[in-house]
Amino acid sequence: MAGVIVKTPAELRAERDELLRRAGTGYDDLRDRAESYQLTASERNIWETIRTIDYLLGDE
Amino acid sequence: MSNGGVPEQLYRLAAEFAGDLTRTIQRIIPTDLQFTALAMGNADRASVGVGIFTTGQFTPLPLSINGTHRLNLMIKLHLCWDSGQDFLAVDKSFFHVRAEGRDDTPLFRLEYVRQATRDVPCSHLQIHAHRDELTYLLMVADRARPATRTRRDKIPRVAEFHFPQGGHRFRPCLEDVLHALIVEFGVDAQPNWRSAVEKGREDWRHKQIRAAVRDAPEDAAEVLENMGYVVTRPEAGPAPTNQARMRAY
């Protein structure tokens, strides 16, 4: 059954930080490379997740 | 009662949305992957992200051609309350198609933005693919497809890919095409082009809504009743849905 994952804002921020750490770069660099389509497949997944986290946090 | 700070109704609607999407995809594509709703606990605001969420990340749906993984479809939706705070509305949707094992550039993107700007259509298709990538995939597809569309001994052309555009009722109108040409290419236009385009678009949509109601009158009756209208069905019984129109590609 499809699920719902509920996170607190603090948990989302922590996950966002962890994703950036895993990407090995800062947000600005990741964003710039995302916008010019220069990401690897795993970086693209990280970027898409960060975009949605930012939407949930109201930081988009 | 809430689930981790998410109101019960929102939790239920998010689960239903993800479940419906999972069933839709699994009826069409051979996959076990499921859609998950990621929600933030906040009683004041509904914001939900829905996608294929594996190992803590949104990941695309792999698509194969003749059993070989050739494409990746990123399906992701951002949801919010609709204006009545009764249903979840799509705030943004992202359908991105990429070739597997190639660079990050999508072949094309179909996106929807609820709060679009004046000169970006709320529903839009952006094509990135270089001709080579699309023709390569079309050639791979030809080998997998039945004879009806086989182009043996002919190099397929990008122009042969038909992008769906909303069927009979929800297709773009001429005003949409002209609007795009004016804002994207700077085509010369009348000084009041914008109000003319908007008026034409509105007239078109009124006509299409009337036609859509004729296609599915019971849907229209239910919505009107939910809005407080009193709807009287015909004595002969509710008019049938025009299923052929509703199912046409």
Side-chain angles (χ1 to χ4, degrees):
Chain A
M1 182 179 143
V4 182
I5 297 172
V6 179
K7 299 278 183 182
T8 65
E11 285 171 332
L12 285 173
R13 289 198 173 89
E15 292 198 10
R16 191 182 186 279
D17 290 343
E18 171 60 20
L19 285 165
L20 283 172
R21 191 198 62 76
R22 241 184 270 172
T25 186
Y27 175 82
D28 289 345
D29 173 67
L30 194 66
R31 179 203 58 213
D32 290 347
R33 287 194 293 122
E35 288 174 359
S36 54
Y37 301 105
Q38 294 176 49
L39 300 179
T40 64
S42 56
E43 286 173 333
R44 175 55 61 177
N45 293 343
I46 286 172
W47 171 250
E48 292 297 335
T49 308
I50 287 174
R51 277 183 87 178
T52 297
I53 289 174
D54 285 347
Y55 173 74
L56 297 182
L57 289 169
D59 295 340
E60 206 181 20
Chain B
M1 182 151 89
S2 68
N3 290 274
V6 171
E8 180 70 29
Q9 185 195 17
L10 176 60
Y11 191 96
R12 179 180 54 79
L13 289 171
E16 278 175 12
F17 194 102
D20 288 346
L21 202 46
T22 297
R23 280 184 288 278
T24 295
I25 292 294
Q26 289 183 348
R27 276 199 288 262
I28 300 167
I29 300 293
T31 180
D32 295 327
L33 292 171
Q34 299 193 351
F35 285 81
T36 299
L38 180 64
M40 185 177 75
N42 185 336
D44 299 325
R45 193 169 159 257
S47 48
V48 178
V50 176
I52 296 170
F53 195 68
T54 54
T55 59
Q57 295 178 28
F58 286 103
T59 54
L61 175 71
L63 301 172
S64 56
I65 299 174
N66 227 12
T68 301
H69 179 193
R70 297 284 191 188
L71 294 164
N72 293 298
L73 172 58
M74 172 64 76
I75 303 170
K76 198 161 59 111
L77 302 100
H78 293 172
L79 311 178
C80 61
W81 281 128
D82 73 337
S83 50
Q85 304 227 344
D86 298 311
F87 301 103
L88 281 177
V90 176
D91 202 3
K92 288 188 182 175
S93 65
F94 310 91
F95 307 144
H96 296 177
V97 178
R98 287 180 168 82
E100 164 65 9
R102 310 284 276 202
D103 70 36
D104 188 38
T105 309
L107 296 177
F108 58 88
R109 297 184 278 147
L110 184 59
E111 296 183 349
Y112 168 75
V113 180
R114 197 164 188 241
Q115 308 284 342
T117 62
R118 224 175 166 199
D119 289 325
V120 173
C122 54
S123 172
H124 52 265
L125 170 69
Q126 287 168 277
I127 300 168
H128 293 258
H130 293 295
R131 191 180 60 182
D132 292 345
E133 289 165 339
L134 267 176
T135 52
Y136 169 75
L137 280 163
L138 286 168
M139 286 174 71
V140 168
D142 270 353
R143 290 195 288 272
R145 249 203 300 270
T148 46
R149 285 185 64 188
T150 301
R151 291 172 285 248
R152 292 196 173 93
D153 302 327
K154 281 175 63 182
I155 295 173
R157 297 178 298 171
V158 170
E160 292 168 23
F161 191 104
H162 294 74
F163 289 95
Q165 290 288 284
H168 293 283
R169 301 297 170 227
F170 306 115
R171 62 191 192 272
C173 58
L174 175 59
E175 285 81 0
D176 292 335
V177 175
L178 292 169
H179 190 157
L181 293 173
I182 293 166
V183 302
E184 303 285 1
F185 287 156
V187 160
D188 295 336
Q190 300 281 28
N192 294 329
W193 71 269
R194 194 180 288 277
S195 62
V197 154
E198 289 172 358
K199 175 75 172 60
R201 181 179 293 131
E202 184 179 356
D203 289 347
W204 163 264
R205 288 178 182 172
H206 278 301
K207 281 194 200 119
Q208 295 308 101
I209 285 171
R210 289 172 193 277
V213 166
R214 287 193 293 275
D215 287 341
E218 269 305 293
D219 288 355
E222 279 177 34
V223 170
L224 287 168
E225 284 172 331
N226 288 339
M227 290 172 69
Y229 283 76
V230 175
V231 179
T232 305
R233 265 73 172 177
E235 278 187 20
T241 296
N242 185 337
Q243 195 173 62
R245 272 279 190 255
M246 296 289 279
R247 291 188 165 202
Y249 185 20

